[in-house]
Amino acid sequence: MMTITNILTDFDIPNNLILPILVAIILGIGILLRKKITELINKWKKKTVSIELSVDKVGNLKLEQKQKFNSKITLIKQHIRNRDYDKFAIRIKPNFRIKGLDKFEKAEYKLRLIKKSNELKDKLVILFFREVDLRLERDMEFVCDIFENIIKIQNTSVAEKTKLEIYRTSTPKICFSIRLDSKDFDDISKKEKLSVKEMKQKLLIPTMVSMSIFDDNMYSKYIYPAFIREISRLKKNHNFNLETNHWDSLVLYEVGLG
């Protein structure tokens, strides 16, 4: 079997030069392979639509290239409807240098970012799984507001907030809660031409209040983020099937006082 060494020997190359030449050939092949692999990765990335997020030291996420979000999300929405989940991704990059971590801690941190990326991707799938809300089809600013509220760290404070339960009375029976700021609840009461006390009393009557009490801002700020978190939880912990009918029709839900 002919080897590179045999070929070099046939050319009467001095023995002391054979090793350096072999090393140069191997390095050259390595560079060519690396270049080819990089080209293939870049080609794959071009086919994958990605939403870029940055994360700070505290864990706050920020949407990067917000101006491109609208066009990207339109395409991602079609991939989701076609069930082509491999054609889009969410990428999270730290906006700071990871210092003081050894290679194992860095690897663990990167794995946490990948896990978070996958969780957010799953929430986008839930949001766009079916065409049920015209605002999600036509108003990309509305969609962007929803996504930014989804990626926000949840404020667990309950001070001066009113808890509302949003639920379905028919199958599948789904229930989730939101906590409204006092101003937002005041706005709902005024919209319904009731005092705060009267509004709360009305909410205590089962099936008396529909989702029409909420405006678009409340849908993007409270309803959709909480709804998607609950469906994601059901999907993860109870194998909830997104193909189930009617779960995503929020207009069919009722509102009560929590």
Side-chain angles (χ1 to χ4, degrees):
M1 182 178 179
M2 186 67 71
T3 65
I4 295 176
T5 305
N6 296 141
I7 294 170
L8 293 176
T9 304
D10 290 341
F11 279 97
D12 295 325
I13 295 174
N15 290 335
N16 63 328
L17 293 179
I18 289 176
L19 184 59
I21 292 173
L22 283 173
V23 171
I25 291 171
I26 292 169
L27 288 174
I29 292 171
I31 291 169
L32 289 173
L33 284 173
R34 184 176 179 181
K35 184 179 178 182
K36 187 64 179 177
I37 291 169
T38 302
E39 287 175 356
L40 289 172
I41 291 172
N42 289 336
K43 188 177 180 181
W44 175 80
K45 283 184 176 179
K46 286 179 181 178
K47 288 184 177 180
T48 305
V49 186
S50 62
I51 294 176
E52 309 291 335
L53 302 176
S54 62
V55 61
D56 63 18
K57 293 180 180 180
V58 182
N60 294 302
L61 293 169
K62 180 184 177 183
L63 179 63
E64 298 295 322
Q65 299 179 329
K66 190 174 178 179
Q67 67 277 10
K68 293 183 180 180
F69 178 84
N70 291 355
S71 57
K72 285 185 175 183
I73 206 68
T74 302
L75 181 55
I76 286 172
K77 179 170 57 179
Q78 296 310 314
H79 287 325
I80 292 171
R81 302 273 169 78
N82 294 332
R83 308 301 184 249
D84 292 328
Y85 303 139
D86 292 336
K87 290 187 177 179
F88 76 97
I90 293 179
R91 307 189 195 283
I92 304 175
K93 294 182 179 179
N95 63 4
F96 60 95
R97 292 196 174 189
I98 305 173
K99 294 181 179 180
L101 300 179
D102 61 32
K103 63 179 181 180
F104 300 108
E105 290 170 328
K106 286 180 181 178
E108 190 273 337
Y109 181 71
K110 288 178 181 178
L111 286 174
R112 276 192 281 137
L113 292 184
I114 291 171
K115 182 181 178 183
K116 186 64 177 178
S117 298
N118 290 335
E119 288 174 356
L120 291 175
K121 180 177 177 177
D122 186 59
K123 288 178 179 179
L124 273 186
V125 170
I126 293 168
L127 180 63
F128 292 119
F129 194 73
R130 278 193 289 253
E131 185 176 336
V132 292
D133 188 337
L134 286 177
R135 290 169 297 185
L136 297 178
E137 311 304 316
R138 299 175 181 175
D139 190 346
M140 292 302 104
E141 290 300 321
F142 177 67
V143 172
C144 186
D145 288 343
I146 292 171
F147 186 71
E148 289 190 310
N149 281 307
I150 286 172
I151 66 176
K152 275 184 182 177
I153 294 177
Q154 284 184 263
N155 183 358
T156 56
S157 172
V158 298
E160 297 184 3
K161 292 185 178 181
T162 303
K163 183 181 179 183
L164 299 182
E165 296 289 338
I166 299 171
Y167 59 94
R168 281 177 54 86
T169 55
S170 54
T171 304
K173 291 187 176 181
I174 295 169
C175 179
F176 63 97
S177 61
I178 60 173
R179 292 185 183 275
L180 293 183
D181 295 335
S182 56
K183 181 184 180 304
D184 289 327
F185 192 78
D186 287 346
D187 289 343
I188 287 177
S189 302
K190 289 175 184 176
K191 181 183 174 183
E192 297 297 302
K193 298 180 180 179
L194 297 170
S195 67
V196 169
K197 183 179 179 180
E198 289 170 334
M199 189 68 222
K200 288 183 177 180
Q201 288 174 339
K202 186 177 180 180
L203 284 163
L204 287 171
I205 305 171
T207 71
M208 179 61 72
V209 182
S210 71
M211 297 291 287
S212 62
I213 64 170
F214 302 113
D215 59 22
D216 286 358
N217 178 60
M218 292 180 191
Y219 262 91
S220 63
K221 183 179 178 181
Y222 299 109
I223 308 299
Y224 269 113
F227 175 58
I228 290 168
R229 279 195 299 270
E230 176 59 14
I231 299 300
S232 179
R233 185 191 70 81
L234 291 174
K235 187 169 175 282
K236 179 181 177 181
N237 298 339
H238 302 283
N239 297 317
F240 181 77
N241 187 358
L242 296 183
E243 296 292 348
T244 304
N245 290 328
H246 307 309
W247 65 266
D248 43 2
S249 299
L250 280 169
V251 291
L252 302 177
Y253 284 66
E254 308 286 347
V255 187
L257 193 64

